[in-house]
Amino acid sequence: MPVIRNLGRAASQLLQSSGCGCGVSLVPVRSIGVSPRQVASDASFHSVTFSESDHPRVLITGGLGQLGVGLAKLLRKRFGKNNVILSDIRKPADNVFYSGPFIFADILDYKNLREIVVNNRITWLFHYSALLSAVGEANVPLARAVNITGLHNVLDIAAEHNLRLFVPSTIGAFGPTSPRDPTPDLCIQRPRTIYGVSKVHAELMGEYYHYRYGLDFRCLRYPGIISADSQPGGGTTDYAVQIFHDAIKTGKFKCYLRPDTRLPMMYIDDCLKATLEVMEAPAEALTMRTYNISAMSFTPEELAQEVQKYVPELQMTYSVDQVRQAIADSWPMNFDDSNARRDWGWKHDYDLPELVTTMFSYLGSDSRIAQAN
């Protein structure tokens, strides 16, 4: 088994003194001075008594981000409300808190996290705590602590307690020397952001723990994820979410990427479906531990043209952010996800027209949209 290391005081102090916004996909964590013993008691209280069943007992870290809440809803529908525990270091909204078990969990507090796993008899762990690309570049020490030190804690606990562990990766795990169109599962990566470097580290450490300790590690490289029920905040692909909000509110959108910047994208329902499917796939079906998944690939210009079918007067302008543009230029234009489709039957449901229709149906019936329809 791996050697368990206590969290260094420096990393804990860093997180206590650092505030940061979270990206579209994932949620950063920080310590807020709650004792592990107190947290463990809270965990037992909120998770109540579970009935014995064949269902997995699930913990989701960084659960208040774009993906965590939606994943919890999907898993509770499948495995039962009380078998899925959502966690974060932030206070949840009332609708999230009362929708099912929620607890405080700081991934940089090893003892706290270990007690939660033990006290709640966790068998599956979805590790969503991380800082995204743009946010990570603005605070590299914090990103290093959360994305790497936190991952090490999760890996050690998962290996010690024989958990099935899911850690998401990203298009950001590739770099300018990677083949971009298409990008296969196995190729040169060499990312140039701390976010990308930490995700390559997660992929390789997970694979190592699988072969060294038998850890059931599973990982998907997500493209840009688009959803209607969360605000953008820190990702390079966030423009593809913000354009819908701005189109409805003002009829104007200023894009920080060039109009011809092609990136792989996916609607959140496809993302969550793929995550559950790879976790439920028989171990013998998996020929690798990390898979690309894809649904569509488009440019800001192509997305704007589709949006203008609903908001014809949308005014699209461009003010290129050189940092984000450089990141996007180093990422894949298209993902080759043929291995996922072959090994465990991955198949997406949403292409660009379906994505845009669904986004506007969720975001409301603004007058300009009603007129267009």
Side-chain angles (χ1 to χ4, degrees):
M1 295 303 295
V3 176
I4 305 303
R5 297 175 296 101
N6 291 327
L7 170 68
R9 179 172 298 178
S12 180
Q13 290 174 343
L14 169 66
L15 292 179
Q16 289 175 357
S17 61
S18 301
C20 63
C22 115
V24 165
S25 297
L26 306 173
V27 176
V29 297
R30 55 180 175 173
S31 174
I32 61 172
V34 179
S35 70
R37 188 178 302 276
Q38 177 183 345
V39 172
S41 298
D42 290 344
S44 297
F45 174 78
H46 284 297
S47 60
V48 300
T49 301
F50 298 111
S51 60
E52 293 294 330
S53 72
D54 293 331
H55 290 319
R57 314 263 315 198
V58 179
L59 174 67
I60 303 171
T61 67
L64 293 185
Q66 177 195 27
L67 298 179
V69 173
L71 180 64
K73 182 178 180 180
L74 176 65
L75 296 180
R76 285 167 178 164
K77 183 177 180 180
R78 189 170 188 86
F79 302 131
K81 174 179 176 180
N82 287 330
N83 280 329
V84 180
I85 302 175
L86 200 61
S87 73
D88 208 296
I89 52 84
R90 298 184 298 157
K91 183 171 68 173
D94 286 350
N95 65 307
V96 174
F97 184 80
Y98 291 110
S99 65
F102 179 91
I103 57 175
F104 170 93
D106 180 357
I107 61 166
L108 291 179
D109 186 338
Y110 172 81
K111 186 173 184 289
N112 162 225
L113 191 60
R114 189 167 181 247
E115 287 184 357
I116 291 172
V117 168
V118 171
N119 289 349
N120 294 280
R121 298 182 291 119
I122 299 301
T123 58
W124 285 14
L125 198 159
F126 292 83
H127 178 50
Y128 277 123
S129 297
L131 264 67
L132 293 186
S133 53
V135 173
E137 290 306 291
N139 195 336
V140 172
L142 181 62
R144 187 174 62 236
V146 173
N147 295 10
I148 296 177
T149 302
L151 169 76
H152 292 174
N153 288 339
V154 167
L155 285 169
D156 284 346
I157 291 169
E160 179 185 6
H161 297 285
N162 195 31
L163 307 185
R164 181 171 296 182
L165 173 63
F166 178 84
V167 178
S169 189
T170 168
I171 55 174
F174 297 95
T177 56
S178 305
R180 299 185 64 211
D181 190 15
T183 302
D185 285 303
L186 300 177
C187 65
I188 294 172
Q189 293 183 255
R190 297 295 188 274
R192 292 184 179 176
T193 65
I194 186 61
Y195 177 58
V197 169
S198 69
K199 286 303 183 181
V200 173
H201 179 75
E203 293 176 13
L204 295 178
M205 286 294 288
E207 186 171 326
Y208 172 77
Y209 269 57
H210 171 69
Y211 289 110
R212 180 68 175 82
Y213 303 115
L215 175 64
D216 190 354
F217 172 85
R218 305 180 184 208
C219 176
L220 296 178
R221 294 191 186 109
Y222 291 156
I225 304 301
I226 301 173
S227 69
D229 56 0
S230 61
Q231 293 291 328
T236 300
T237 58
D238 284 358
Y239 84 87
V241 177
Q242 189 65 53
I243 188 174
F244 292 98
H245 294 277
D246 289 2
I248 290 175
K249 292 177 182 177
T250 68
K252 300 177 181 180
F253 178 65
K254 181 183 291 186
C255 184
Y256 50 76
L257 296 180
R258 292 193 312 267
D260 62 346
T261 305
R262 183 171 300 280
L263 292 169
M265 301 283 187
M266 179 177 288
Y267 184 58
I268 187 171
D269 285 10
D270 276 339
C271 174
L272 299 179
K273 183 181 77 164
T275 302
L276 177 58
E277 286 180 354
V278 76
M279 284 294 276
E280 290 189 316
E284 60 271 17
L286 305 179
T287 60
M288 54 188 65
R289 291 287 128 183
T290 299
Y291 289 89
N292 293 342
I293 55 168
S294 186
M296 67 193 85
S297 183
F298 56 75
T299 67
E301 186 174 43
E302 291 168 349
L303 177 58
Q305 291 171 357
E306 199 68 32
V307 170
Q308 285 169 340
K309 294 178 181 179
Y310 292 83
V311 186
E313 69 273 26
L314 172 67
Q315 298 178 24
M316 184 84 160
T317 58
Y318 296 89
S319 178
V320 176
D321 179 330
Q322 295 302 325
V323 173
R324 289 186 176 184
Q325 187 64 57
I327 292 173
D329 287 343
S330 71
W331 284 358
M333 299 169 66
N334 286 287
F335 258 162
D336 177 359
D337 61 355
S338 56
N339 288 318
R341 294 175 185 269
R342 180 199 65 216
D343 288 358
W344 42 276
W346 161 241
K347 182 180 180 181
H348 69 278
D349 294 324
Y350 292 84
D351 290 312
L352 181 56
E354 291 83 8
L355 164 71
V356 173
T357 298
T358 303
M359 286 291 288
F360 279 124
S361 69
Y362 273 110
L363 288 174
S365 56
D366 182 86
S367 59
R368 60 172 61 92
I369 298 175
Q371 292 171 4
N373 287 335

